[in-house]
Amino acid sequence: MTTDAGLGEISLAYDARPAAEVVREYLAETLRMIEQYDGFDVLAHVDYPLRYWPAAVPFDEGAFEEEFRAVLRALAHSGKALEINTKVPLGPRILRWWHGEGGEAVTFGSDAHEAAVLGRGFPEAVAMAEACGFRPGPTAWGAWVRGD
């Protein structure tokens, strides 16, 4: 996320700007990154600003469907994978959009910064990935791929 002074922490952006504007700017910047930078294999935290969404404001993923789909479409065309992060679980709707936009692969990340929480939420993430059309890939350690 950029500010007049350069890069900024998204959690602080909600203090100064409407929540929907923060999410839309984050997704626009993510789209620009995908289109202009090829030095990654997996996009993590496509939903990062949702971690800090103001509790007093109801959240509806559908209000951002167009922006999420644009990011996911560009990511799919780039041949990259999407991470299902389990710290604040990726919504199944976003994962269905990923599949619908042609996304070929997903990975899993628990965002663990302590050994005790390594793999936290993986059983639920695996079930969601399977429900959205992804299956284990050719290796036990690799990305999951489309099952259709």
Side-chain angles (χ1 to χ4, degrees), residues 102-128:
E104 292 288 333
V106 296
T107 64
F108 303 93
S110 59
D111 216 358
H113 295 257
E114 302 171 6
V117 292
L118 185 65
R120 163 193 52 209
F122 275 29
E124 295 83 4
V126 163
M128 180 177 61

Side-chain angles (χ1 to χ4, degrees), residues 50-134:
L50 307 185
R51 290 184 181 190
Y52 303 101
W53 185 267
V57 179
F59 178 72
D60 174 22
E61 290 169 340
F64 305 98
E65 181 175 0
E66 182 179 322
E67 292 89 347
F68 271 111
R69 282 186 175 273
V71 167
L72 298 171
R73 187 177 315 113
L75 188 66
H77 286 121
S78 74
K80 311 290 187 199
L82 178 68
E83 180 194 63
I84 301 172
N85 190 283
T86 61
K87 181 173 184 176
V88 176
L90 180 71
R93 192 183 219 183
I94 295 172
L95 190 56
R96 284 192 298 274
W97 293 338
W98 169 238
H99 190 277
E101 292 299 335
E104 292 288 333
V106 296
T107 64
F108 303 93
S110 59
D111 216 358
H113 295 257
E114 302 171 6
V117 292
L118 185 65
R120 163 193 52 209
F122 275 29
E124 295 83 4
V126 163
M128 180 177 61
E130 288 177 331
C132 291
F134 294 93

Side-chain angles (χ1 to χ4, degrees), residues 1-89:
M1 182 133 202
T2 58
T3 65
D4 292 338
L7 296 176
E9 172 52 46
I10 199 159
S11 63
L12 303 175
Y14 288 111
D15 295 337
R17 302 182 31 222
E21 185 179 308
V22 171
V23 173
R24 286 193 170 94
E25 183 178 336
Y26 176 86
L27 292 171
E29 190 164 320
T30 302
L31 179 58
R32 283 190 297 275
M33 180 198 68
I34 293 166
E35 293 172 343
Q36 297 174 11
Y37 180 69
D38 192 46
F40 67 100
D41 295 318
V42 178
L43 177 66
H45 305 300
V46 69
D47 59 346
Y48 185 70
L50 307 185
R51 290 184 181 190
Y52 303 101
W53 185 267
V57 179
F59 178 72
D60 174 22
E61 290 169 340
F64 305 98
E65 181 175 0
E66 182 179 322
E67 292 89 347
F68 271 111
R69 282 186 175 273
V71 167
L72 298 171
R73 187 177 315 113
L75 188 66
H77 286 121
S78 74
K80 311 290 187 199
L82 178 68
E83 180 194 63
I84 301 172
N85 190 283
T86 61
K87 181 173 184 176
V88 176

